[in-house]
Amino acid sequence: MFNKSSFLARNFSTAMLNYRAAGNPQVFLRVAQGENVLGDLVFELYEDKVPGLAENFATLAEEKLQGNSFHSGMAGLGISAGRFGEENHSAFDMRLPDEDLQLRHHKRGLISMTNNGEHTNGSEFMITFNEARFLDGYQVICGELVEGDAVLAKLEEACNRHGEVNGDVRIVDSGSK
């Protein structure tokens, strides 16, 4: 008997998932390793799908991420930043709800909000180096890389297999694009 859902799962790649939409805002993160500026990462934020988390990330980029370090990362997985002290609070000094856990970690260059359980999104985020399906349903994606894959490759090279980032890798400037 024909099963439509299993046919679709077998025959259509997750690469067909497209969360981009005209009119979504873009932000940039200018990244440096030591004194060497690596370049800009430009992200489209999914304002049409996760408006609160997109606004949070845009506000972080405008007001708080300058000077922030990438504090952990692992090649093949992702790199994390956005840590400010012990608490993972949003740009609005509170935890934010999970808006859409249906978005899939299906490719490189997604911004995934790091949390401490349900409805605890704040300032910490991870940029994926690959698909990360084990995060599906646990962390909300709020945007994707649209420019700067060579810069992302340099960030991945800075990560070791112990979850550490080699050298002083930080965001030196950020804001709206």
Side-chain angles (χ1 to χ4, degrees):
M1 180 169 194
F2 179 75
N3 183 322
K4 182 180 177 183
S5 61
S6 64
F7 171 81
L8 292 173
R10 283 192 317 271
N11 293 295
F12 291 94
S13 164
T14 57
M16 292 178 61
L17 297 174
N18 180 9
Y19 302 137
R20 296 185 67 190
N24 276 342
Q26 292 186 353
V27 296
F28 76 95
L29 305 179
R30 185 159 299 134
V31 179
Q33 187 171 25
E35 297 301 315
N36 181 30
V37 175
L38 302 177
D40 289 356
L41 299 167
V42 178
F43 296 94
E44 176 182 323
L45 301 179
Y46 301 149
E47 184 178 65
D48 62 321
K49 301 210 178 345
V50 288
L53 292 176
E55 181 183 5
N56 175 57
F57 198 87
T59 303
L60 289 169
E62 287 287 331
E63 299 176 6
K64 294 191 174 195
L65 289 177
Q66 299 86 357
N68 192 257
S69 293
F70 287 93
H71 58 269
S72 64
M74 189 172 290
L77 177 59
I79 191 164
S80 298
R83 181 177 286 170
F84 299 99
E86 295 296 317
E87 294 295 322
N88 182 17
H89 286 291
S90 71
F92 313 111
D93 201 31
M94 57 189 268
R95 300 290 182 103
L96 299 175
D98 297 327
E99 290 181 294
D100 188 346
L101 289 169
Q102 299 303 308
L103 301 177
R104 297 291 165 232
H105 294 80
H106 67 286
K107 66 180 181 176
R108 177 180 184 81
L110 297 173
I111 302 172
S112 180
M113 299 307 293
T114 306
N115 61 45
N116 304 97
E118 285 186 60
H119 307 299
T120 60
N121 297 289
S123 59
E124 288 189 52
F125 63 95
M126 176 180 88
I127 305 168
T128 60
F129 292 143
N130 206 340
E131 71 176 32
R133 292 180 174 271
F134 63 94
L135 295 175
D136 290 350
Y138 295 99
Q139 291 186 190
V140 179
I141 299 164
C142 71
E144 74 177 76
L145 187 71
V146 294
E147 293 175 34
D149 196 56
V151 177
L152 189 59
K154 292 175 186 174
L155 289 178
E156 188 169 13
E157 289 172 10
C159 297
N160 67 32
R161 65 187 187 120
H162 303 291
E164 302 162 338
V165 179
N166 300 318
D168 177 27
V169 181
R170 67 193 180 294
I171 300 164
V172 294
D173 194 14
S174 61
S176 297
K177 184 80 175 165

